[in-house]
Amino acid sequence: MGWLPMRPKSKNNKTLTAILLIAPFVLCYLVVFAYPVYKMFAMSFTDAPLIGEGDWVGLENYVRMFQHKLFYTSVYNTLYFVGLTVVPNTLIGLGIAMMIVRLNGMVQAGILILFFMPYILPVTVVTQIWQWVLDQQFGVAQPLIEAVTGKRISVFRDPLWAMPMVALVTIWWTNGFNVLLFISALRNIPQDYYEAASLDGASRFQQFRRITWPLLWPVTALVLTLQLILQLKIFDQIYLMTQGGPFNSTYVLLQLVYREAFGRNQGGYASAVAVALFVLIVIVSVLQYQLLKARGKS
């Protein structure tokens, strides 16, 4: 029975080891995320500048925000951009992945690299490439635009074209990551399912509907959720391509935060707008999760 006193000691060692392993993550989480979020909420109730303390003003910043016409414009443009990118980006990624997965060897690797390469480019390079491609005078895409509309268009200076073009650039830039996720999921589907379905006379569409799509749904839900969160935080492409113009047609919430914080040194008001964006992301993400969860059970 001499071994019995050792059990609590072993349990204590495991607990200590677990604490030591998770401590770095918890520390990073508190420093990088939890504390800044707390400061953001706290500053939103003050008239603080970007750096420094301010006086308590209660809900004044939020009242001002809801009276600010540009805030509503920014919310609309942000949601408009989400609508232009999230679902199309996911469906295009799925379609490309289903084509690539049918290839073999070096051909498959080469085409996969071709689609994934834009994803590793920095946003400055991406925007410069597309500004050249869509340049009104010399852009290689202008003949196509002229064939459709009858004239050359400066797309980033046209309120009708600016946001769709930014969405197009974003899809081209980020789609490679979605393709990789879908290819990984497709490769994990056993081929026996398709062989059995073929023996039963199922068409390719029936195989996709009854086998591929249900088994891909968890990855599809993941891609949709990631895309939703990322696109709600759109800023870089807008700032570099349109600066929110023309006529505020591409002005988004993060740009409003940037202007108020760094342009006008109004940290309190910028924090209130950031809180609104935070709440919007949480609400939309939860709603989407519930819809995807209900779709997965149906």
Side-chain angles (χ1 to χ4, degrees):
M1 299 297 291
W3 54 271
L4 286 176
M6 297 298 293
R7 296 184 64 185
K9 184 177 179 181
S10 176
K11 184 177 180 180
N12 290 337
N13 288 340
K14 290 182 178 179
T15 302
L16 179 60
T17 302
I19 292 174
L20 291 175
L21 288 173
I22 67 173
F25 168 78
V26 173
L27 182 62
C28 290
Y29 177 81
L30 292 175
V31 173
V32 177
F33 180 77
Y35 180 71
V37 169
Y38 159 74
K39 288 296 292 183
M40 177 184 71
F41 276 93
M43 283 183 64
S44 69
F45 297 102
T46 70
D47 61 357
L50 181 61
I51 299 176
E53 301 297 328
D55 296 325
W56 177 268
V57 295
L59 297 176
E60 182 178 318
N61 287 324
Y62 292 94
V63 173
R64 174 186 169 190
M65 180 180 68
F66 287 115
Q67 293 175 344
H68 196 179
K69 183 178 179 181
L70 188 57
F71 170 73
Y72 294 101
T73 301
S74 302
V75 172
Y76 171 80
N77 289 335
T78 301
L79 295 177
Y80 178 41
F81 180 80
V82 167
L84 289 173
T85 54
V86 173
V87 174
N89 205 353
T90 302
L91 294 179
I92 291 172
L94 175 59
I96 294 173
M98 292 187 67
M99 290 186 289
I100 291 178
V101 81
R102 297 179 183 275
L103 304 175
N104 295 306
M106 295 300 295
V107 175
Q108 183 187 73
I111 295 180
L112 183 57
I113 291 173
L114 183 65
F115 279 105
F116 186 74
M117 190 175 294
Y119 185 72
I120 66 176
L121 296 176
V123 65
T124 51
V125 175
V126 170
T127 54
Q128 189 63 59
I129 289 172
W130 280 91
Q131 283 174 342
W132 286 338
V133 170
L134 296 169
D135 183 83
Q136 187 175 10
Q137 292 184 339
F138 309 108
V140 296
Q142 283 296 334
L144 177 60
I145 295 175
E146 187 176 9
V148 174
T149 64
K151 61 179 180 179
R152 291 173 174 258
I153 298 175
S154 181
V155 292
F156 295 122
R157 297 181 180 179
D158 188 301
L160 182 64
W161 285 77
M163 188 64 87
M165 286 298 105
V166 175
L168 174 65
V169 172
T170 302
I171 292 173
W172 177 84
W173 180 32
T174 61
N175 195 251
F177 182 69
N178 299 340
V179 172
L180 280 183
L181 291 177
F182 280 122
I183 286 178
S184 299
L186 287 167
R187 287 175 175 171
N188 286 327
I189 299 176
Q191 293 300 310
D192 297 345
Y193 294 170
Y194 296 107
E195 293 173 3
S198 297
L199 291 175
D200 290 338
S203 64
R204 286 190 178 275
F205 176 75
Q206 290 172 327
Q207 291 178 25
F208 174 80
R209 182 182 177 187
R210 299 297 183 181
I211 300 174
T212 307
W213 181 245
L215 294 178
L216 278 182
W217 181 248
V219 175
T220 305
L222 172 65
V223 171
L224 284 169
T225 302
L226 291 175
Q227 285 296 314
L228 177 67
I229 295 173
L230 287 173
Q231 307 313 343
L232 280 170
K233 298 187 295 181
I234 174 67
F235 173 75
D236 297 349
Q237 306 93 292
I238 296 289
Y239 183 75
L240 292 172
M241 290 182 175
T242 67
Q243 294 79 47
F247 310 114
N248 295 332
S249 61
T250 60
Y251 215 97
V252 291
L253 277 170
L254 266 183
Q255 191 169 3
L256 181 59
V257 174
Y258 177 84
R259 187 188 78 163
E260 298 299 330
F262 295 94
R264 299 188 173 184
N265 197 31
Q266 297 182 357
Y269 182 61
S271 297
V273 179
V275 168
L277 176 59
F278 179 82
V279 172
L280 178 65
I281 291 174
V282 171
I283 292 174
V284 175
S285 299
V286 170
L287 289 175
Q288 185 192 49
Y289 173 77
Q290 293 299 328
L291 289 173
L292 295 177
K293 185 177 179 181
R295 171 63 181 82
K297 292 181 178 180
S298 62

Short mmCIF file of all heavy atoms in Angstrom, two decimals, residues 7 18 25-26 42-43 66 74 81 102 104 112 126 149 153 160 166-167 170 172 187 194 200 244 265:
data_model
loop_
_atom_site.label_atom_id
_atom_site.label_comp_id
_atom_site.label_asym_id
_atom_site.label_seq_id
_atom_site.Cartn_x
_atom_site.Cartn_y
_atom_site.Cartn_z
N ARG A 7 -0.16 8.93 -5.63
CA ARG A 7 -1.19 9.32 -6.61
C ARG A 7 -1.53 10.81 -6.56
O ARG A 7 -1.56 11.46 -7.59
CB ARG A 7 -2.43 8.47 -6.42
CG ARG A 7 -2.19 6.99 -6.70
CD ARG A 7 -3.45 6.19 -6.59
NE ARG A 7 -4.42 6.59 -7.60
CZ ARG A 7 -5.67 6.09 -7.66
NH1 ARG A 7 -6.09 5.22 -6.75
NH2 ARG A 7 -6.48 6.50 -8.59
N ALA A 18 -0.09 21.20 -16.91
CA ALA A 18 -1.16 21.77 -17.74
C ALA A 18 -1.19 23.29 -17.61
O ALA A 18 -1.34 24.01 -18.62
CB ALA A 18 -2.50 21.18 -17.34
N PHE A 25 -0.39 30.97 -23.67
CA PHE A 25 -1.56 31.35 -24.48
C PHE A 25 -2.47 32.30 -23.72
O PHE A 25 -2.93 33.31 -24.28
CB PHE A 25 -2.34 30.10 -24.89
CG PHE A 25 -3.69 30.42 -25.47
CD1 PHE A 25 -3.81 30.85 -26.79
CD2 PHE A 25 -4.84 30.31 -24.70
CE1 PHE A 25 -5.05 31.17 -27.32
CE2 PHE A 25 -6.08 30.62 -25.23
CZ PHE A 25 -6.19 31.05 -26.54
N VAL A 26 -2.74 31.99 -22.46
CA VAL A 26 -3.61 32.85 -21.66
C VAL A 26 -3.01 34.24 -21.52
O VAL A 26 -3.71 35.25 -21.64
CB VAL A 26 -3.87 32.22 -20.27
CG1 VAL A 26 -4.64 33.19 -19.38
CG2 VAL A 26 -4.63 30.91 -20.41
N ALA A 42 -13.97 50.92 -22.60
CA ALA A 42 -13.82 51.99 -21.62
C ALA A 42 -13.67 53.35 -22.29
O ALA A 42 -14.29 54.34 -21.88
CB ALA A 42 -12.62 51.70 -20.71
N MET A 43 -12.85 53.43 -23.35
CA MET A 43 -12.63 54.70 -24.05
C MET A 43 -13.88 55.20 -24.74
O MET A 43 -14.06 56.40 -24.94
CB MET A 43 -11.51 54.55 -25.07
CG MET A 43 -10.11 54.55 -24.49
SD MET A 43 -8.84 54.46 -25.78
CE MET A 43 -9.13 56.02 -26.64
N PHE A 66 -25.01 57.56 -33.70
CA PHE A 66 -26.29 57.26 -34.32
C PHE A 66 -26.93 58.48 -34.99
O PHE A 66 -27.92 58.34 -35.71
CB PHE A 66 -27.25 56.66 -33.30
CG PHE A 66 -26.91 55.24 -32.91
CD1 PHE A 66 -26.53 54.95 -31.62
CD2 PHE A 66 -26.95 54.22 -33.85
CE1 PHE A 66 -26.20 53.65 -31.26
CE2 PHE A 66 -26.62 52.92 -33.51
CZ PHE A 66 -26.24 52.64 -32.21
N SER A 74 -21.47 53.88 -43.77
CA SER A 74 -20.40 52.91 -43.57
C SER A 74 -20.95 51.52 -43.28
O SER A 74 -20.43 50.51 -43.78
CB SER A 74 -19.49 53.36 -42.42
OG SER A 74 -18.95 54.63 -42.67
N PHE A 81 -20.50 45.07 -49.17
CA PHE A 81 -19.27 44.38 -49.53
C PHE A 81 -19.32 42.92 -49.09
O PHE A 81 -18.88 42.03 -49.82
CB PHE A 81 -18.08 45.09 -48.89
CG PHE A 81 -16.76 44.46 -49.19
CD1 PHE A 81 -16.12 44.68 -50.40
CD2 PHE A 81 -16.15 43.63 -48.26
CE1 PHE A 81 -14.90 44.09 -50.69
CE2 PHE A 81 -14.93 43.04 -48.53
CZ PHE A 81 -14.31 43.27 -49.75
N ARG A 102 -9.69 16.83 -59.81
CA ARG A 102 -9.80 15.82 -60.86
C ARG A 102 -8.50 15.66 -61.64
O ARG A 102 -8.34 14.70 -62.40
CB ARG A 102 -10.93 16.18 -61.83
CG ARG A 102 -12.31 16.20 -61.18
CD ARG A 102 -13.39 16.58 -62.19
NE ARG A 102 -14.69 16.69 -61.56
CZ ARG A 102 -15.50 15.65 -61.35
NH1 ARG A 102 -15.13 14.44 -61.75
NH2 ARG A 102 -16.68 15.81 -60.78
N ASN A 104 -4.18 15.38 -62.02
CA ASN A 104 -3.18 14.54 -61.38
C ASN A 104 -1.78 15.10 -61.58
O ASN A 104 -1.52 15.84 -62.54
CB ASN A 104 -3.23 13.11 -61.95
CG ASN A 104 -4.54 12.40 -61.65
OD1 ASN A 104 -4.93 12.31 -60.50
ND2 ASN A 104 -5.20 11.89 -62.68
N LEU A 112 -2.77 24.48 -58.98
CA LEU A 112 -3.02 24.86 -57.59
C LEU A 112 -2.13 26.02 -57.17
O LEU A 112 -2.58 26.96 -56.50
CB LEU A 112 -2.79 23.65 -56.68
CG LEU A 112 -3.09 23.86 -55.19
CD1 LEU A 112 -4.53 24.32 -54.98
CD2 LEU A 112 -2.83 22.58 -54.41
N VAL A 126 -1.13 43.63 -54.56
CA VAL A 126 -2.41 43.25 -55.18
C VAL A 126 -3.12 44.47 -55.74
O VAL A 126 -3.59 44.48 -56.89
CB VAL A 126 -3.30 42.53 -54.15
CG1 VAL A 126 -4.72 42.34 -54.69
CG2 VAL A 126 -2.70 41.18 -53.78
N THR A 149 -19.93 47.93 -71.96
CA THR A 149 -20.61 49.19 -71.66
C THR A 149 -20.59 50.18 -72.81
O THR A 149 -21.32 51.17 -72.78
CB THR A 149 -19.96 49.85 -70.43
OG1 THR A 149 -18.59 50.19 -70.75
CG2 THR A 149 -19.97 48.90 -69.24
N ILE A 153 -14.15 52.98 -68.63
CA ILE A 153 -14.63 53.49 -67.35
C ILE A 153 -13.50 53.47 -66.33
O ILE A 153 -12.77 52.48 -66.21
CB ILE A 153 -15.81 52.64 -66.82
CG1 ILE A 153 -16.99 52.72 -67.78
CG2 ILE A 153 -16.23 53.12 -65.42
CD1 ILE A 153 -18.14 51.83 -67.39
N LEU A 160 -20.92 53.39 -59.16
CA LEU A 160 -21.57 52.12 -59.48
C LEU A 160 -20.58 50.97 -59.57
O LEU A 160 -20.89 49.84 -59.22
CB LEU A 160 -22.33 52.27 -60.81
CG LEU A 160 -23.12 51.05 -61.28
CD1 LEU A 160 -24.24 50.74 -60.29
CD2 LEU A 160 -23.70 51.30 -62.67
N VAL A 166 -13.71 46.39 -56.10
CA VAL A 166 -12.95 46.05 -54.89
C VAL A 166 -13.29 44.63 -54.45
O VAL A 166 -12.41 43.86 -54.03
CB VAL A 166 -13.24 47.06 -53.77
CG1 VAL A 166 -12.55 46.63 -52.47
CG2 VAL A 166 -12.78 48.45 -54.15
N ALA A 167 -14.56 44.26 -54.57
CA ALA A 167 -14.97 42.90 -54.23
C ALA A 167 -14.31 41.88 -55.16
O ALA A 167 -13.86 40.81 -54.73
CB ALA A 167 -16.49 42.77 -54.29
N THR A 170 -10.76 41.44 -54.16
CA THR A 170 -10.68 40.68 -52.91
C THR A 170 -10.88 39.19 -53.15
O THR A 170 -10.17 38.36 -52.57
CB THR A 170 -11.73 41.21 -51.91
OG1 THR A 170 -11.50 42.61 -51.67
CG2 THR A 170 -11.65 40.45 -50.59
N TRP A 172 -10.30 37.55 -55.96
CA TRP A 172 -9.10 37.05 -56.66
C TRP A 172 -7.94 36.86 -55.69
O TRP A 172 -7.18 35.90 -55.80
CB TRP A 172 -8.72 38.06 -57.74
CG TRP A 172 -7.47 37.72 -58.49
CD1 TRP A 172 -7.35 36.88 -59.56
CD2 TRP A 172 -6.14 38.21 -58.22
NE1 TRP A 172 -6.03 36.83 -59.98
CE2 TRP A 172 -5.28 37.63 -59.18
CE3 TRP A 172 -5.61 39.09 -57.28
CZ2 TRP A 172 -3.91 37.91 -59.20
CZ3 TRP A 172 -4.25 39.37 -57.30
CH2 TRP A 172 -3.42 38.78 -58.26
N ARG A 187 -10.51 15.48 -50.79
CA ARG A 187 -9.61 14.32 -50.76
C ARG A 187 -9.94 13.37 -49.62
O ARG A 187 -9.53 12.21 -49.64
CB ARG A 187 -8.16 14.79 -50.65
CG ARG A 187 -7.62 15.39 -51.95
CD ARG A 187 -6.23 15.94 -51.75
NE ARG A 187 -5.66 16.40 -53.02
CZ ARG A 187 -4.53 17.08 -53.14
NH1 ARG A 187 -3.84 17.38 -52.03
NH2 ARG A 187 -4.08 17.46 -54.31
N TYR A 194 -18.48 7.08 -54.31
CA TYR A 194 -18.76 7.42 -55.70
C TYR A 194 -18.87 6.16 -56.57
O TYR A 194 -19.70 6.10 -57.47
CB TYR A 194 -17.67 8.35 -56.24
CG TYR A 194 -17.62 9.69 -55.55
CD1 TYR A 194 -16.59 9.98 -54.67
CD2 TYR A 194 -18.59 10.65 -55.77
CE1 TYR A 194 -16.53 11.22 -54.03
CE2 TYR A 194 -18.55 11.88 -55.14
CZ TYR A 194 -17.52 12.16 -54.27
OH TYR A 194 -17.48 13.38 -53.64
N ASP A 200 -25.00 2.19 -58.97
CA ASP A 200 -26.46 2.34 -58.82
C ASP A 200 -27.06 3.25 -59.88
O ASP A 200 -28.28 3.48 -59.88
CB ASP A 200 -26.78 2.91 -57.44
CG ASP A 200 -26.51 1.90 -56.33
OD1 ASP A 200 -26.48 0.69 -56.64
OD2 ASP A 200 -26.32 2.32 -55.18
N GLY A 244 -12.33 55.35 -49.86
CA GLY A 244 -13.72 55.53 -49.44
C GLY A 244 -14.60 56.18 -50.47
O GLY A 244 -15.83 56.23 -50.31
N ASN A 265 -7.96 62.54 -34.17
CA ASN A 265 -7.49 62.35 -32.80
C ASN A 265 -8.65 62.27 -31.80
O ASN A 265 -8.56 62.76 -30.67
CB ASN A 265 -6.52 63.48 -32.40
CG ASN A 265 -5.71 63.12 -31.17
OD1 ASN A 265 -5.40 61.95 -30.94
ND2 ASN A 265 -5.37 64.12 -30.37
#
